[in-house]
Each structure stands twice: as structure tokens, then as C-alpha cells.
Amino acid sequence: MATPEQSFTDDPMARAMALARNTTGTASPNPSVGAVIVKDGYLVGEGYTQPPGQAHAEIMALAQAGKEAHGADLYVTLEPCAHQGRTPPCVDAIIAAGIRRVHIAALDPNPRTDGSGVARLEQASVSVVLREGSPESFALIEAFAKHITTGIPFVVAKFAMSLDGKIATRSGDSKWISNIAARRHAHVLRAGVDAVMVGIGTALADDPQLTVRGITYAGPQPTRVIIDSTGRLPIDASMLALEGTTIVATSNIAPDKRTALETAGAVIIDTGPGIQVDLHHLLVALGEQQITSVLVEGGSHLLGSLFDLGLVDKVVSIIAPVIIGGIEAPGPVSGGGAQAMPDALRLTKVTYEQVDGDIIVTGYPPTRRT
């Protein structure tokens, strides 16, 4: 955090965005928000969203600014709330502090706010400057926006593959396709979500931990979600002995297997009778538990099902410059897929990042049918 009255020459909104990114893994189910207060060219206060029930970004910034907030400009990445939640409305504190102008990067999609924060500020003669349109401001709240408007988590499909589209050799060996730097990026992705999901095939083959490791991270471990219709996850699976919650989603589990998994520490979500887990039902159940974002790391059957059902909101693909070959070597996405090329899912808002030779491609499906 900056010292009050520090000279400030950078873009205040860019600083607010950087502060918002500090909330990785700690703000949910609240949105990630950053706030900066500038007066006469000096930074007098700044803040970012604290864990649920604690101060919002604006309140932190106002507390740091103290009396210097009077007549100052507030830069905030999301419209200040105007309703009573776990904490009082931020607009009331902004008005009481005497802020003269509020710069807002994005309106709050929460139906309880959705413009009412701006209206309250303007009614109190506080000038408001809307700066909507920044891709970063929307990216900061994309999971919050999906969950608060639909009740369903924001779903990110992530996979690493070779240049020829394989996720393993024909024998099933997949360690490692991506390089160390790209795998570190994958842990950054885990740190930014509420839950990590894999299919039972991946769980059985790899005995994964599905935790955040190898990076600086002080937040809670994401919830682990295993798609396991009949309860095949071993009771000695590594993840069941780790910090955090492991959810096993089932649809046709025998009572004795359910009891064994629950005794081992798993939480069972039964999505109803059927051969396969009802993924939409599961996402609704996760949303009801205030899980706002899910990172799906495989396998190909689970990813294929999610794409076929239109349940994927974002795609992150790590492409390594390696050729695996082999007609029996698996690809990252199975399922029904497209019948013809016009039906293929072409991502939008695509970005590319090179990490020590691997390429990370990020994009969004053009339509969402949730």
C-alpha cells in the first residue's frame, strides 16, 4: 500500500486495476475491486477488496486518506455499492468523506446496484465519470457478473496440448507437455478461481492434488470437484488428505461407496439418477454454495460435454512446440463436437502470451447457452 501524500504521476485507474488484482483468491464471492484517491496530484489513499465481511476497496482507501479525502478524486474499478450487504453501502461513506468526483471503470452488474450507486452519488452532487469499455475492468469481474446474474459459476476450460493437438502420448504419458513457466501460470489460474474440476479418469490416472503450488499465494485452496458418477475415487486419494474441500459429483453411486467417501472427507453432490453426472445441475448446486468460478482441467470427455452443453465461458489453452503424433494419442476435447466447420466454436476476444516458448491462448466462446 502507498504512503499517504505520495506524489502520483501514473494513471490512477491503472493503479486501481493493479490493486484489484491483489484480491486473487480472497475476495470471492465479492468482485475484485481496487480504489485510489488522488488530491492535488498526490496519492492520499488506496485499497482493494478484503475477504467477505470486511472492508471494500473504497472504505480502505477512504480510511487511509482520512481528512484528505475531502475535495479529492476517487478512482474505482467498479461502481460503488448502494445497498446494505455484509457491510454498509460504500456510496454513503464516499459522500460523507466529501469526495468531489468519482471515476468508475465499470457499472456493477449486481441487480441490487446496477446504476443505483451512480444515481446516489449524483443526487448528492458528487460528479461521476464513467470510463466503461476497458477489457481489463470486465475481466476483473467476469466471474462475479456471471454468478450474480445467473446463479451459475463462471466456467474456464483449461488444457495443455502439443502443437499437433495431443494431450498425451498413445501410452497415456502426459508429464510434461508444457514447460515449467507455463505450469506455473496454470497455478496462477487455480489461485484465481473458487474451484478446480476434473473427471474421474484424470483423478484415477494422475492422483492429482489440484492445489495452488509453486507461486506466492496466501489465499484458501480452491474447492476440488471430481466428476465421478459411480463413486470410483479411492478413499486414499491424495486430495482427500489435503487442506480444503473435495466434492465428488455423482449420479449413480452405491450407498456403501457414498458412505466410504464421506467418511474419508469427501462431500457428495448427487445430481440425480442417470448414467452421467448432470453438469448443469452440478453448476447450479456449486453456485448455491457461493462458488463463483470453476477451472476445468480435464479430461477430454468432461471438457467435450461442457462444450457440447454450452457451459464454457472462457478457454485457456497452453500450446507447447512439441509433436507427439500417433492416431491413438488423445486430444483435449471429445464429446459430440461440430458436424460442420460453420458449427465449430471460434473464440472471440482472443489474446496470446508467450511463456518460455509455450504459447498461452485465451479466448471466449461467442455465445453462451446457460
Side-chain angles (χ1 to χ4, degrees):
M1 300 290 287
T3 301
E5 308 226 352
Q6 176 181 331
S7 178
F8 195 70
T9 58
D10 295 331
D11 177 7
M13 191 61 80
R15 174 61 182 167
M17 296 284 184
L19 288 167
R21 292 193 294 272
N22 285 344
T23 68
T24 296
T26 62
S28 183
N30 292 331
S32 296
V33 180
V36 169
I37 299 175
V38 176
K39 185 174 184 180
D40 299 329
Y42 287 87
L43 171 62
V44 297
E46 61 181 21
Y48 50 86
T49 311
Q50 298 301 292
Q54 300 182 38
H56 288 190
E58 302 94 320
I59 304 304
M60 282 191 70
L62 289 170
Q64 189 181 73
K67 64 181 181 179
E68 293 299 321
H70 192 275
D73 280 33
L74 168 66
Y75 295 80
V76 63
T77 59
L78 184 66
E79 177 186 9
C81 63
H83 62 274
Q84 175 72 45
R86 293 186 180 93
T87 58
C90 288
V91 292
D92 291 350
I94 293 168
I95 294 167
I99 291 288
R100 68 167 185 142
R101 183 183 296 116
V102 179
H103 305 255
I104 300 172
L107 292 175
D108 191 344
N110 187 342
R112 298 179 67 185
T113 302
D114 195 21
S116 61
V118 170
R120 286 272 295 280
L121 291 170
E122 291 180 334
Q123 288 168 6
S125 299
V126 178
S127 178
V128 175
V129 179
L130 290 178
R131 297 186 169 194
E132 288 194 290
S134 164
E136 184 175 11
S137 66
F138 293 126
L140 284 169
I141 62 167
E142 59 190 8
F144 170 76
K146 169 78 180 297
H147 181 259
I148 201 67
T149 56
T150 68
I152 297 174
F154 187 84
V155 176
V156 181
K158 173 257 173 184
F159 50 87
M161 67 180 188
S162 65
L163 197 59
D164 58 335
K166 309 294 186 180
I167 59 172
T169 67
R170 65 177 182 272
S171 68
D173 183 21
S174 62
K175 294 183 178 180
W176 295 101
I177 291 176
S178 56
N179 62 34
I180 294 175
R183 296 200 297 276
R184 188 178 298 117
H185 179 83
H187 283 275
V188 172
L189 291 176
R190 287 183 181 179
V193 298
D194 294 336
V196 179
M197 180 185 293
V198 298
I200 184 59
T202 298
L204 293 174
D206 299 339
D207 190 24
Q209 297 182 41
L210 303 183
T211 55
V212 180
R213 305 184 303 279
I215 63 172
T216 302
Y217 176 67
Q221 289 294 342
T223 295
R224 299 171 286 272
V225 182
I226 312 302
I227 308 303
D228 182 10
S229 59
T230 59
R232 291 190 290 153
L233 185 70
I235 59 173
D236 61 351
S238 296
M239 66 183 72
L240 292 175
L242 299 173
E243 172 192 352
T245 301
T246 298
I247 292 174
V248 178
T250 67
S251 61
N252 188 24
I253 186 172
D256 59 332
K257 290 186 177 180
R258 179 185 184 116
T259 299
L261 284 169
E262 289 178 332
T263 301
V267 175
I268 305 297
I269 293 181
D270 196 325
T271 65
I275 297 175
Q276 296 182 335
V277 170
D278 184 327
L279 293 172
H280 187 272
H281 180 117
L282 172 62
L283 290 175
V284 170
L286 294 178
E288 290 173 348
Q289 296 185 24
Q290 298 301 299
I291 291 176
T292 67
S293 55
V294 178
L295 178 67
V296 184
E297 296 193 353
S300 62
H301 177 73
L302 173 58
L303 286 170
S305 296
L306 288 166
F307 278 113
D308 286 347
L309 292 169
L311 295 174
V312 175
D313 298 289
K314 185 176 183 177
V315 178
V316 179
S317 176
I318 300 171
I319 304 173
V322 59
I323 304 296
I324 293 177
I327 192 170
E328 296 179 358
V333 180
S334 59
Q339 177 70 24
M341 279 309 300
D343 302 323
L345 198 63
R346 187 171 296 275
L347 302 181
T348 64
K349 303 177 185 177
V350 179
T351 60
Y352 306 88
E353 179 183 359
Q354 183 170 328
V355 182
D356 285 356
D358 287 4
I359 304 296
I360 301 175
V361 180
T362 303
Y364 299 81
T367 59
R368 296 171 187 165
R369 297 181 289 278
T370 56

